[in-house]
Amino acid sequence: MTSADHRATAQFAADAAAMRRALELADRGPADGVNPRVGCVIVSPNGEVLAEGWHRGAGTAHAEVDALSKLAPGAAAGTTAVVTLEPCNHTGRTGPCALALVEAGIARVVYAVGDPGVHSSGGAARLRASGVEVSGGVLADEVEALLEDWLFAARHRRPRVIVKWASTLDGRAAAADGTSRWITGAAARRDVHRRRAAADAIAVGTGTVLTDDPSLTARDDAGNLLEHQPVPIVFGRRPVPQGAALRSHPRTPLFFAGAELAGDLEELARRGIRSLFIEGGPTLASAFITAGLVDELLVYLAPAVLGGPMLALGDLGIPTIADALRFDFTAVERLGDDVLLVAHPTTRDERD
């Protein structure tokens, strides 16, 4: 290995170490809202960490500016800024971070993932045009995992949609008399509440509201509210009673007619909703699946059979087996007596 190779290897190791610290800082920021969690570390030419920063939410200083604010004027000249996300290149509530780095005299910028925003991307190009050395892709997989929902919403202009149902082995979500509590056991229900708390929003149709009167909260085993609560959303045209349980939710409910699901999802993304947990019922789940707007299925299977008409899904308009919608199983988990199947849509290339 040449001396140049040794230097490159040492530089990558130093960049990766600083990026891991930036990731830790990013994780301090709010997990929901329209802005991503971003961390920044400013490093001297000899590898000393001079300043750190992270984004604390909409309207506050971005991570790069937060870090720069902790340095004396001129102290950032010739240094390296290590940032989890490509510095932004637009003026919103705050100015463009790419320009702030240039004006501070930063000589080199290292980032993990490119900014997919329509208005905010282009920071790397602006930096390079200003003579700043730029390197991307450092620990990209780890940052992608941290920002999974935000990146999905930014790239697709809609939230990531997770559809969940619980059913018997023969696909029934309820008995013939409509009863469905409880198909699955306590371990499966605990997992559902954990996943509810991890989502930005939870949705049902008006039929489920009128039939089951769900609270749409995330709770622990004792029935206490978990710290994070998803925004309750109802799709449908029928009025929701003023006394419905979801109207007492800690978060203000949102209501959509559901006639144009793609447009509704775009509106949710504009409101900062990056992940949507579809909880019920079969009409709503079927509508999202038919529209091709489902990114993950969570199917909780109980070791029971019921028979009868109460299927977990309704008619999807599929006339023949050749047209079946295909999914890939990405996880199988045992939860007490039940099984959770996690599946993602099979891409067209995979089908071919």
Side-chain angles (χ1 to χ4, degrees):
M1 184 180 290
T2 66
S3 59
D5 291 334
H6 280 294
R7 287 194 299 272
T9 300
Q11 184 65 71
F12 180 83
D15 291 344
M19 187 64 76
R20 286 195 175 89
R21 176 56 182 166
L23 260 169
E24 294 175 358
L25 296 168
D27 201 33
R28 297 180 182 181
D32 54 5
V34 297
N35 294 96
R37 290 180 283 179
V38 181
C40 175
V41 175
I42 297 177
V43 184
S44 71
N46 64 6
E48 177 187 0
V49 174
L50 301 178
E52 299 178 339
W54 69 92
H55 185 49
R56 292 166 174 80
T60 66
H62 287 192
E64 300 93 321
V65 174
D66 184 43
L68 289 172
S69 70
K70 298 168 184 175
L71 295 175
T79 63
T80 295
V82 180
V83 195
T84 52
L85 187 68
E86 175 190 6
C88 69
N89 188 40
H90 82 301
T91 299
R93 297 186 187 181
T94 59
C97 292
L99 178 60
L101 293 171
V102 170
E103 292 178 341
I106 294 286
R108 183 168 174 263
V109 171
V110 177
Y111 68 91
V113 178
D115 188 333
V118 173
H119 304 293
S120 56
S121 61
R126 184 171 189 172
L127 289 165
R128 291 190 181 98
S130 300
V132 178
E133 180 185 346
V134 180
S135 298
V138 176
L139 300 191
D141 288 346
E142 296 180 35
V143 175
E144 286 268 357
L146 176 71
L147 298 179
E148 179 182 16
D149 287 342
W150 183 87
L151 286 169
F152 184 98
R155 289 165 178 164
H156 298 275
R157 311 293 180 254
R158 67 169 179 83
R160 189 169 68 92
V161 176
I162 306 103
V163 169
K164 166 262 174 182
W165 69 77
S167 72
T168 58
L169 293 176
D170 57 339
R172 267 61 186 181
D177 64 357
T179 56
S180 60
R181 296 183 180 179
W182 296 104
I183 286 178
T184 54
R189 296 196 297 273
R190 186 180 307 118
D191 189 72
V192 169
H193 282 279
R194 177 181 66 82
R195 293 176 185 271
R196 283 184 181 184
D200 289 338
I202 179 171
V204 294
T206 51
T208 296
V209 173
L210 297 174
T211 301
D212 297 337
D213 193 25
S215 65
L216 301 185
T217 53
R219 305 180 298 277
D220 63 18
D221 289 345
N224 301 311
L225 296 181
L226 297 178
E227 180 178 0
H228 179 266
Q229 292 294 319
V231 175
I233 297 173
V234 178
F235 289 93
R237 297 183 184 278
R238 285 180 286 179
V240 173
Q242 288 302 314
L246 64 85
R247 291 194 182 274
S248 299
H249 196 284
R251 309 287 295 272
T252 302
L254 300 177
F255 299 91
F256 293 89
E260 178 46 60
L261 293 177
D264 293 339
L265 291 181
E266 289 178 6
E267 175 59 26
L268 288 175
R270 284 191 288 269
R271 293 174 181 239
I273 301 298
R274 302 176 296 198
S275 58
L276 178 63
F277 197 78
I278 305 292
E279 184 95 18
T283 301
L284 186 63
S286 300
F288 272 92
I289 291 173
T290 301
L293 295 172
V294 174
D295 306 294
E296 182 174 85
L297 291 181
L298 301 175
V299 181
Y300 294 84
L301 282 180
V305 293
L306 281 171
M310 307 296 280
L311 292 170
L313 291 179
D315 185 8
L316 300 179
I318 299 173
T320 180
I321 191 65
D323 296 333
L325 301 176
R326 298 290 179 175
F327 291 79
D328 292 323
F329 289 125
T330 54
V332 178
E333 300 179 32
R334 184 69 181 262
L335 298 169
D337 293 332
D338 307 311
V339 173
L340 167 62
L341 304 177
V342 182
H344 293 85
T346 302
T347 65
R348 182 171 299 279
D349 289 343
E350 290 171 333
R351 291 196 302 269
D352 294 342

